[in-house]
Structure formats: C-alpha cells, structure tokens
Amino acid sequence: MTQAPAAPRATRRRHDREIVALAVPAFGALVAEPLFVMADSAIIGHLGTAQLAGLGIASALLTTAVSVFVFLAYATTAAVARRIGAGDLQAAIRQGVDGIWLALLLGATVIAVVLPSAPALVDLFGASDTAAPYAVTYLRISALGIPAMLVVLASTGVLRGLQDTRTPLYVAIAGFVANAALNAGLVYGADLGIAGSAWGTVIAQWGMAAAYLTVVVRGARRHGASLRPDTKGIRASAQAGAPLLVRTLSLRAILMIATAVAARLGDADVAAHQIILSLWSLLAFALDAIAIAGQAIIGRYLGANDTQGAREASRRMVEWGIATGVVLGLLVIVSRSLFLPLFTSDSVVKDAALPALLVVALAQPICGIVYVLDGVLMGAGDGPYLARAMLVTLAAFTPVALLVPTLGGSLTAVWGAMTLMMAVRMLTLWLRARSGRWMVTGATR
C-alpha cells in the first residue's frame, strides 16, 4: 500500500462500522447461495442414486455457466459506487439498469447454447447411462432460470454499489425458503421427480429476480432514471466486465488443474481434495464478504475524489483481512479432526486430508490479504490489471502443480501449490496497491 500516516482512532472506528455494516449481510447472502444446491441434493437424494448423480453433474455445469458471469455483480458494484460518491444517484441507477439488460442478453444467449447441447455437455462430464437422462432433464429445465440468476448478480451489484447489502440478504433467505418448499412440493407432492426440483429452483430464481427488479425499478422511477435498454451503456458494462471475465476464467482454470492433479494421485486423494475444496470455499465466503465491502466503499471514495479516504479505508480493510485470516486459520487447526468425520469415515481419506488442512490453515492470512486487495482494486475499476495479474498467477501455478505427480508429491503438495498461487496473487495485488496507480478518481474511470 502507498505509505500514509496511521488514521486517527475515530477514523478507524468509522471505517470499521462501514465494513461491518456491509460485510456481515454480504456474508449471509453468500452463504445462502450454496444452500440452494444443498436443498436440492437433500430432496433428490431420497429419489435414488442415479437421480442424485444426475443432479451433481447438472449442478456443476450450471454453476460453471453462471459463475463465469460474476463480473455482472463486481463491475456493476464499482461503477454504481463511483457515481454514488460523485453525488449522481440518477446516473448510478442508470448504470445498474444497463448491467441488468446485459445480464438478460447474456442469459438468453446461454439458454440458446445449453438447451440443444445439454446431452453433449452431460456426456462430456462422463455421466453414466443411468444418470445421464436425469442430468439432461435437470439441466434443460434449470437453464430457463439462468437469465434470472444473471439478473440477480447484476441487481446485487447495483444494491452493493448503493451501499445496501441487507436487501440481497433478505432476498437470498426468502429465495432459499421458497426453493426448499417448492422442491419438496413438486418432487413429492406433485410426483414430478427430478423435473419438479428443477422447476422449483427456476420458479424461486425468477421470484428473486422479480424482487430485485421491483427494488431497482422503484429506485429508477423515484430518481428519474430511464429503464429502456441503452446500447452504449450496455456496451460499456460489457467492456468493464470483460477483464473480470478473464480473471474469473483464469481462477476457474487453476481450480480445475488442482482437481485434475489430485485425481491423478488416487481415489482417496481426490476424495480428500473435494472435502478440502468445500472448506476452502466456505472460508472464502467470510473473506469475500470483506472484499465486497471494499468494492462498495472504495468505489464511493474514488467517485467523491477522496483518495485519502480510499487509502485509509483500504489499509483498514487489509488489517481486517489479515485478522480474519488468522482467526479462520486457527479454527481450521483446532477443528480439523472434528471436521473430517462429517464427510468421511475412510481413514485413508482422513490421513490424506489432515496434513493438507494444516497447509490450508496456514494460508488463510495470505488469503485474507488477497481477497481484500482484490475487492479494493475491483472497487477502483482496475479490471485490466486484475486480468493480467491472474494470468501471471495461472502461468506460475500450472507448472508447479503439474510437477506434483511427477515428483511423487502428495495431496499436501497440491495444496502447497495452491498456497503458492495465493502468494503470487498477494504479491501482484500488493505491488499494484502500493503503486497508487489504481486510485483514479471521478464518476467514471
């Protein structure tokens, strides 16, 4: 970070209140999202193994299809927050509306691709003959909810930019409850099987999208912002999101490489890897919540031409990230022997996972810095640098990870490579943050 005098205690407390007010509801909303799949799995699991396997394959495809467009939330948050900082609420909402229109266009495109190619996509994932029909059914029906999921991403970005993370939390909770009720009713009450689960999820997703759109439309009418699609604005939203798409795809590639390498080590290792990866994702939610606060706060400060405020806020959030990482790391160390039995009773899997979990625990303070600085630079609209930095990280990680099986390494070595990846990210992000070149002020970057 650029060197600056330590902020007064009153200033630090103000930043703390802002961070907590935004991060805590954001964490709740993030945790609610994976509960959709868990609810579906719990309900479909009672139908049979083939149905559950089909759900697993379809869910993996859907998650990938949606997660690559997470820039709809990130880029929109930064752009809206800048205009809020500049005092132009009408333009802020207009920017958000452009992001929502982009989400609808992308969603329609994904549907057009997924519906005819569903059997080929399922086959690509190696589905068995018994699971494949269920996977295709679930994928084709659930694809109809993809535009809604993308609208939710963009709308969440709008509200975060407006410094509101509570509404997304309420909508996420309502969506989870509706999804669980609809799934149970349609799967068992209407006897629709796996198709009922898919339809229940689609209805819940469109309900969430409708709730968000209601909030945005009311805000637009209140402040005189147009709701019509604007080609120039939609194109600008796409251009702002393109570098973040590169960043997300690079990160996805890293996770895929790690899983592929773990699979080459043996069944026990890949099983342990999946358990650790689920924990890694859960820990990431806590750290990502601070990053989300960073996106909203930094964008607002830079929009208001307050570089000193942006610098002090980013410094304080890094301190939060480190402290949270230390706490999470200690929790992993203390609970790792209790955590593993929740997922497996296989002693071989446990033996493979235990030392790797220690590596994950030690990496958490690094992860805290990475997530926070990632959020700071996203809030600043520094997407092109984030894309380049992630490509550098991918290039550094890939050969190290691929050497693990060749050199006879274990799963612990795989997660050592993952920690190296996070260290490279930390270095690239720290160098950028320290340079101060990310602090471009004004309503637009």
Side-chain angles (χ1 to χ4, degrees):
M1 301 297 298
T2 303
Q3 295 299 316
R9 181 175 298 180
T11 301
R12 292 199 300 272
R13 286 178 177 173
R14 174 167 54 83
H15 290 317
D16 289 345
R17 286 194 296 270
E18 281 191 319
I19 293 167
V20 170
L22 291 171
V24 172
F27 174 70
L30 289 169
V31 171
E33 291 173 8
L35 293 178
F36 272 73
V37 177
M38 290 179 63
D40 289 2
S41 299
I43 292 171
I44 291 177
H46 293 286
L47 295 177
T49 301
Q51 289 91 331
L52 186 58
L55 171 67
I57 293 168
S59 294
L61 287 165
L62 286 165
T63 300
T64 300
V66 174
S67 65
V68 297
F69 298 117
V70 72
F71 69 82
L72 289 167
Y74 294 160
T76 303
T77 297
V80 171
R82 273 185 175 271
R83 285 164 173 76
I84 289 296
D88 193 346
L89 186 55
Q90 183 186 77
I93 296 176
R94 175 66 250 185
Q95 178 74 42
V97 170
D98 291 334
I100 291 172
W101 279 111
L102 176 62
L104 287 169
L105 290 173
L106 291 173
T109 302
V110 174
I111 286 180
V113 172
V114 170
L115 288 182
S117 63
L121 291 170
V122 168
D123 185 62
L124 186 65
F125 265 59
S128 66
D129 291 340
T130 53
Y134 296 112
V136 171
T137 296
Y138 191 93
L139 181 59
R140 279 181 165 160
I141 296 173
S142 294
L144 300 177
I146 288 177
M149 287 187 273
L150 299 189
V151 166
V152 167
L153 283 177
S155 301
T156 300
V158 176
L159 295 178
R160 288 173 181 170
L162 294 171
Q163 318 295 296
D164 176 11
T165 56
R166 289 183 178 273
T167 300
L169 172 62
Y170 300 148
V171 174
I173 292 173
F176 168 71
V177 173
N179 178 68
L182 286 166
N183 271 253
L186 293 174
V187 170
Y188 298 117
D191 198 26
L192 294 179
I194 195 169
S197 176
W199 280 117
T201 301
V202 168
I203 295 169
Q205 287 162 346
W206 276 108
M208 292 172 65
Y212 275 117
L213 289 174
T214 299
V215 174
V216 174
V217 168
R218 285 177 179 172
R221 288 176 175 170
R222 187 182 306 119
H223 298 285
S226 174
L227 292 169
R228 294 180 180 179
D230 177 66
T231 303
K232 183 178 179 181
I234 294 172
R235 187 184 301 115
S237 294
Q239 290 172 345
L244 296 180
L245 176 60
V246 173
R247 168 198 168 276
T248 300
L249 290 173
S250 299
L251 183 56
R252 278 276 161 187
I254 287 170
L255 296 175
M256 289 175 64
I257 290 170
T259 300
V261 170
R264 291 180 62 184
L265 300 178
D267 290 348
D269 289 280
V270 73
H273 175 75
Q274 288 304 117
I275 294 171
I276 296 171
L277 197 59
S278 66
L279 175 63
W280 177 278
S281 299
L282 179 62
L283 297 172
F285 287 144
L287 298 172
D288 203 26
I290 304 174
I292 287 169
Q295 294 169 28
I297 293 170
I298 295 301
R300 191 189 74 230
Y301 274 120
L302 294 178
N305 298 313
D306 186 356
T307 56
Q308 180 65 22
R311 185 181 293 111
E312 291 175 352
S314 59
R315 179 187 296 277
R316 189 58 177 162
M317 281 183 283
V318 167
E319 293 171 355
W320 269 80
I322 295 172
T324 304
V326 170
V327 171
L328 292 175
L330 291 173
L331 286 174
V332 172
I333 292 173
V334 171
S335 65
R336 61 194 175 122
S337 60
L338 302 175
F339 170 77
L340 288 174
L342 297 176
F343 291 87
T344 182
S345 58
D346 190 327
S347 60
V348 178
V349 175
K350 291 179 183 178
D351 289 342
L354 276 171
L357 277 175
L358 183 60
V359 174
V360 169
L362 295 175
Q364 289 311 298
I366 297 175
C367 295
I369 298 172
V370 168
Y371 276 82
V372 169
L373 290 181
D374 210 35
V376 166
L377 297 183
M378 282 184 190
D382 204 12
Y385 180 83
L386 290 172
R388 294 192 299 271
M390 190 57 78
L391 288 172
V392 169
T393 302
L394 174 61
F397 169 79
T398 302
V400 175
L402 294 179
L403 279 174
V404 170
T406 303
L407 299 178
S410 64
L411 183 65
T412 303
V414 174
W415 281 95
M418 289 287 284
T419 301
L420 173 65
M421 177 270 293
M422 295 302 290
V424 172
R425 288 185 70 188
M426 182 178 70
L427 177 62
T428 58
L429 295 172
W430 178 79
L431 288 173
R432 183 64 167 182
R434 186 173 182 273
S435 73
R437 289 195 291 270
W438 55 277
M439 287 192 287
V440 179
T441 58
T444 59
R445 183 176 172 88

